[in-house]
Amino acid sequence: RRKVKSVCATSVQLKYHKRHLWLCLSLMMNKEIFERLEELQIEYKKIEHPAAFTMEEIEEYHLTENGHIPKILVLRDVKGTRNMLVVLHGDKRANLQLIRAEIDSTKLSFASDERLDKYLKVEKGSVSPFGVIYDTEKELEIYFDADLKKEEIVGCHPNDNHATVFLNFNDLVKYVKSCGHTITYIKV
């Protein structure tokens, strides 16, 4: 009797392969982000590091020594008709009530995984203003915390939380605008 090998993958194996596939696709898509930076002649410094999902991990990897790391949120209104990318000063709490009042919106919630993929081609933990290059229909409203203007150098993931790209804040603004988006500054 021959033993039949199981062709069924475990959920752990599937999760690993899905993550591996996502990393491969992410690297290909990141190419577009870096090509845009080069096209705009924006100087930047890319630092690779272990996956950083939280501000605590960013601190642990000493990334803030290279520049300011903002908090980046993707939000939607209660009806799902407005979708927003909000870039906050890294020292601030993500207070959705204050943001809601500042942008004159109905109740806000965090965007689903599907919306993150649709608008930014990104997974949770890797959200970045660089991802606006994939919002070709300009469906996202872009809001920057006005206090970010005080920061000379900022760092954001290039749609992959295994790296951080540091650049001049004004160059980040230039990048977002080059993708056809308007930035509205808010005070929160």
Side-chain angles (χ1 to χ4, degrees):
R1 292 179 123 174
R2 289 189 336 187
K3 285 188 177 179
V4 178
K5 285 187 177 179
S6 173
V7 293
C8 297
T10 67
S11 62
V12 172
Q13 289 170 320
L14 289 175
K15 190 173 184 180
Y16 169 80
H17 290 296
K18 180 182 175 190
R19 181 70 187 146
H20 181 73
L21 177 62
W22 178 258
L23 285 173
C24 292
L25 290 172
S26 176
L27 289 173
M28 290 186 322
M29 290 189 301
N30 287 348
K31 183 179 176 192
E32 292 178 40
I33 292 169
F34 289 104
E35 286 174 352
R36 176 64 60 97
L37 290 169
E38 297 294 332
E39 176 187 308
L40 296 170
Q41 299 180 346
I42 292 175
E43 290 183 32
Y44 63 89
K45 177 180 175 182
K46 177 183 174 189
I47 298 178
E48 294 183 2
H49 49 74
F53 291 93
T54 65
M55 293 303 278
E56 290 78 20
E57 289 171 327
I58 286 169
E59 290 288 336
E60 181 183 325
Y61 304 143
H62 306 285
L63 294 172
T64 54
E65 294 172 5
N66 296 284
H68 181 77
I69 308 287
K71 289 181 183 168
I72 303 157
L73 316 172
V74 181
L75 306 172
R76 59 169 285 222
D77 69 354
V78 73
K79 292 183 180 178
T81 56
R82 290 178 67 190
N83 298 281
M84 308 99 183
L85 177 82
V86 180
V87 183
L88 296 176
H89 196 277
D91 296 336
K92 295 185 180 178
R93 273 187 60 239
N95 186 326
L96 299 188
Q97 306 297 30
L98 283 176
I99 295 169
R100 174 185 171 194
E102 187 70 16
I103 67 173
D104 192 30
S105 176
T106 58
K107 184 178 178 183
L108 297 173
S109 61
F110 290 97
S112 65
D113 292 344
E114 292 78 20
R115 287 177 193 261
L116 293 178
D117 182 58
K118 177 182 178 182
Y119 298 121
L120 301 170
K121 304 290 183 238
V122 72
E123 286 186 327
K124 283 181 187 170
S126 299
V127 174
S128 166
F130 292 123
V132 300
I133 196 169
Y134 304 113
D135 181 27
T136 56
E137 300 299 315
K138 315 300 179 264
E139 295 182 65
L140 282 174
E141 299 172 25
I142 312 296
Y143 296 96
F144 276 25
D145 185 338
D147 287 340
L148 285 170
K149 292 179 183 181
K150 299 174 189 171
E151 303 296 339
E152 183 179 353
I153 303 295
V154 294
C156 302
H157 294 314
N159 273 28
D160 172 8
N161 65 3
H162 290 84
T164 301
V165 172
F166 291 92
L167 68 166
N168 183 286
F169 174 73
N170 291 327
D171 285 335
L172 178 60
V173 170
K174 179 180 176 181
Y175 174 92
V176 171
K177 288 182 177 180
S178 80
C179 296
H181 287 81
T182 302
I183 297 171
T184 303
Y185 291 92
I186 57 175
K187 292 182 186 255
V188 289

